[in-house]
Amino acid sequence: MYQRSVAIVGAAHSQLGEVPGSTAIGLMADASVAAVADAGLTPASIDGVIVRGPDDEYCFQQQVGERLGLNAAFSTSLGNGGASQALAVVLASLAIEAGLATTVLCGYARNSWSRTRRSGSRKARMNQSTHNRTREWRDSFGYFGEPATHALGAQRHMAMYGTTKEQLGHVAVSVREHATRNPHAQMQSPLTMEEYLDGPLVAEPFGIYDCSLRTDGAGAVVVTETARAKDLPHPPVVVRGFGSHNNLRGWTIDDHMVQTAARASGERAYRIADVSPSDIDTAQLYDCFTYMVLAQLEDYGFCEKGEGGELVASGALGLDGAIPTNTSGGQLSEGHVEGMLQVVEAVRQLRHEYPAERQVPDARLALVSGHGGNTVCHTTLILEGG
Amino acid sequence: MSGPTQGATTEADHPLRVVPQPTPESQPFWDACARHELVIQRCRSCGRFWFPPSNHCQHCWSEDFAWEPVSGRGELYTFTVYRRAYAPELAEQLPYVVGVVELEQGPRLITNIVDREPGDVRVGMPVEVVFLDFPAGVTLHAFRPRENSRTPSTRAV
């Protein structure tokens, strides 16, 4: 059984947005150096590396070690897509309690903007990257892109529960409002409901404002034994519990696109952390699309299944709402670093680092989620401030 | 692929860009499509159907299965209407509908919904299979509303 003896002691992100000419490893190095400095540690103290980079970069952890001069008692790159970044913290916690490592660097980097510029047209990329399985069962029918995948879920949810486009809009508008208080966010100007509803359609019911951003960026955290944290500059953010669940049979199977893997992952995390949804002060959810926020709020028990639309429309996601969510602006408005910035934001909120206009009052417990791997993998972290 | 479609079953209406590359497991599925027949694997041990194709029953892992012709009738589980083209050639097809159809036998297929304006497509709609032949010598399945009163395609199963 997990002993809750592990904490996050350092957290940072690189420059975010369009970073011309950037490489994933370069951004990863920036975030890693900043996270270790934030922890008040030196490179010599790092003996674990659990990271992920672009999926076509083999053994990204080896690039990190080479770039930063690190050997590791424990290292790997992860393959659960957007669920990997929270999973890195889970694996670090288990490795540390098992004695396989003492201080683990966890991180993720992407250079989506810069890659697009280098590799030419969208079509060229599409034809290069298509896997046979995807080509056979999806591309042949004109089914491309992640927006459509999540739109299938949103459409089903709307049909089952009467969820509306405007309710999805409340997610986009709420997280944008958070972003206007975050100087690092890619999107700085407020979004009105009218602008949201007028946004160009992509894959119905989604328009552009339902979709997350294209980002060059990286995030990193340093995980170690809580006992080691007493000599460090910041109060430790304890890894109180975690869970995961993976609907590997697929998104279109059973009711996976409506009751997502977040449900079972969350139940495990609440059990291990010995807390309940009403104890959570802030949620940092994987918001690749507006619908995933709404679905996860239900799956995590902040409301009943089918009531997510009403919950988000009530203003629940705001700083003074029932469950302040994605308080950095999230992937919809801060930057899309595949869930890594959700971990960083939770740490900062639990340290009470922010000025009052950006700080969740009395934040003590944060729930962080990761979702991905063809939409079926999920990880949950429950973090606790001092 | 959508909209008024005499076109649903003509070659010109759907310039196919991506040709499926069958695997040994899926070849019988595509061969049947070419004959305008929808076939799904069914386990001889437990009697259940599965899709996409594989050489083991997803339910009991038996390797004893048959490719069974099915009715081609089902219900639209969910769908999305594409409003943005992911390749230049798709631009003139917009808007088109990608749907998930739940067959009467249980498995769900990703497919296109044709013979109905995208704005009139509904979750839960009864649908039936049609087959679209393309110049590349490939035939794909699509589904159309079952109560559709237009000239029925002789190609529908």
Side-chain angles (χ1 to χ4, degrees):
Chain A
M1 195 65 186
Y2 174 62
Q3 299 298 311
R4 299 180 200 151
S5 68
V6 174
I8 299 175
V9 296
H13 60 69
S14 70
Q15 193 181 342
L16 303 174
E18 189 172 359
V19 184
S22 61
T23 59
I25 185 60
L27 295 164
M28 188 72 248
D30 290 347
S32 300
V33 167
V36 173
D38 180 66
L41 291 169
T42 61
S45 57
I46 304 296
D47 63 357
V49 177
I50 306 176
V51 291
R52 179 168 163 254
D55 287 324
D56 58 354
E57 296 202 14
Y58 179 67
C59 287
F60 195 62
Q61 81 279 16
Q62 193 262 325
Q63 291 187 45
V64 171
E66 184 178 78
R67 182 69 74 104
L68 296 177
L70 301 173
N71 293 323
F74 186 85
S75 81
T76 193
S77 290
L78 299 182
N80 270 19
S84 302
Q85 287 54 252
L87 185 61
V89 176
V90 176
L91 292 182
S93 302
L94 297 175
I96 290 165
E97 283 206 348
L100 280 173
T102 60
T103 304
V104 181
L105 175 68
C106 301
Y108 171 77
R110 73 187 325 182
N111 59 335
S112 306
W113 262 115
S114 302
R115 264 174 187 246
T116 310
R117 288 292 155 86
R118 272 202 299 271
S119 60
S121 75
R122 186 182 285 272
K123 180 179 176 243
R125 283 187 298 124
M126 200 172 71
N127 289 342
Q128 281 162 13
S129 66
T130 306
H131 301 271
N132 185 66
R133 180 179 147 277
T134 307
R135 188 180 172 99
E136 186 171 20
W137 305 116
R138 291 175 51 151
D139 298 12
S140 308
F141 302 96
Y143 176 0
F144 296 102
E146 284 307 303
T149 300
H150 292 82
L152 293 172
Q155 192 81 54
R156 179 75 188 171
H157 196 279
M158 290 166 125
M160 288 181 77
Y161 302 113
T163 305
T164 65
K165 169 93 175 168
E166 187 161 337
Q167 288 172 335
L168 295 177
H170 281 287
V171 175
V173 169
S174 296
V175 300
R176 180 63 67 83
E177 190 189 327
H178 288 308
T180 62
R181 293 185 287 261
N182 174 2
H184 300 288
Q186 283 177 250
M187 308 306 281
Q188 291 284 335
S189 53
L191 177 71
T192 66
M193 183 59 77
E194 291 68 33
E195 287 168 322
Y196 167 82
L197 292 171
D198 288 345
L201 291 169
V202 177
E204 288 185 44
F206 292 161
I208 56 169
Y209 298 116
D210 293 289
C211 303
S212 51
L213 302 168
R214 183 175 303 164
T215 302
D216 294 332
V221 297
V222 178
V223 183
T224 192
E225 292 169 298
T226 309
R228 289 173 189 255
K230 62 180 189 300
D231 302 325
L232 301 179
H234 296 290
V237 170
V238 172
V239 180
R240 184 171 168 121
F242 37 69
S244 78
H245 192 72
N246 306 280
N247 284 329
L248 302 181
R249 292 186 63 211
W251 180 244
T252 64
I253 304 295
D254 296 336
D255 57 354
H256 294 167
M257 63 174 72
V258 171
Q259 180 168 293
T260 74
R263 173 73 178 267
S265 180
E267 284 171 353
R268 290 192 183 107
Y270 289 136
R271 192 179 69 240
I272 289 174
D274 193 25
V275 300
S276 64
S278 61
D279 297 319
I280 302 296
D281 300 304
T282 178
Q284 306 296 334
L285 302 178
Y286 195 97
D287 56 339
C288 44
F289 299 93
T290 50
Y291 166 65
M292 281 311 299
V293 174
L294 194 149
Q296 288 177 79
L297 288 166
E298 297 170 348
D299 292 332
Y300 278 120
F302 297 115
C303 62
E304 292 298 313
K305 183 51 71 182
E307 293 175 358
E310 288 166 46
L311 180 67
V312 299
S314 74
L317 310 188
L319 269 191
D320 54 357
I323 180 71
T325 296
N326 293 9
T327 47
S328 66
Q331 303 183 146
L332 292 164
S333 284
E334 181 191 36
H336 191 334
V337 186
E338 299 238 340
M340 198 63 223
L341 300 183
Q342 269 76 352
V343 184
V344 172
E345 174 68 6
V347 169
R348 291 173 174 170
Q349 287 289 354
L350 295 175
R351 285 176 178 174
H352 290 255
E353 272 187 8
Y354 288 129
E357 77 268 12
R358 215 184 137 184
Q359 178 64 46
V360 176
D362 304 322
R364 191 180 67 84
L365 282 174
L367 184 148
V368 179
S369 78
H371 152 88
N374 292 323
T375 59
V376 300
C377 297
H378 200 96
T379 311
T380 310
L381 297 176
I382 294 176
L383 305 178
E384 182 173 23
Chain B
M1 267 185 272
S2 68
T5 52
Q6 315 311 26
T9 52
T10 69
E11 297 174 351
D13 194 51
H14 181 164
L16 185 67
R17 294 168 316 93
V18 182
V19 176
Q21 311 268 306
T23 60
E25 289 86 356
S26 67
Q27 189 70 53
F29 178 86
W30 294 112
D31 290 346
C33 272
R35 304 190 302 268
H36 291 194
E37 192 173 42
L38 190 65
V39 299
I40 302 285
Q41 283 168 297
R42 184 178 198 175
C43 181
R44 287 199 178 103
S45 289
C46 75
R48 285 183 280 187
F49 291 85
W50 71 88
F51 185 86
S54 77
N55 286 341
H56 295 87
C57 170
Q58 282 182 4
H59 310 283
C60 73
W61 293 11
S62 166
E63 295 174 38
D64 185 14
F65 63 82
W67 286 94
E68 249 182 51
V70 294
S71 64
R73 286 191 298 271
E75 216 174 69
L76 185 59
Y77 182 77
T78 189
F79 68 98
T80 182
V81 183
Y82 271 76
R83 296 284 177 179
R84 177 167 287 197
Y86 276 73
E89 306 92 297
L90 282 170
E92 63 194 49
Q93 300 300 311
L94 298 176
Y96 65 90
V97 180
V98 170
V100 178
V101 166
E102 183 169 304
L103 298 173
E104 286 175 332
Q105 293 78 12
R108 294 178 189 157
L109 303 185
I110 289 164
T111 188
N112 294 120
I113 304 302
V114 296
D115 282 4
R116 180 60 59 100
E117 288 297 331
D120 294 330
V121 173
R122 296 285 179 268
V123 169
M125 218 169 59
V127 292
E128 64 188 0
V129 74
V130 294
F131 292 96
L132 312 183
D133 295 318
F134 297 102
V138 171
T139 302
L140 295 182
H141 55 77
F143 284 73
R144 66 179 179 187
R146 217 187 300 161
E147 71 274 40
N148 190 299
S149 59
R150 280 203 196 85
T151 316
S153 164
T154 54
R155 303 175 190 206
V157 169

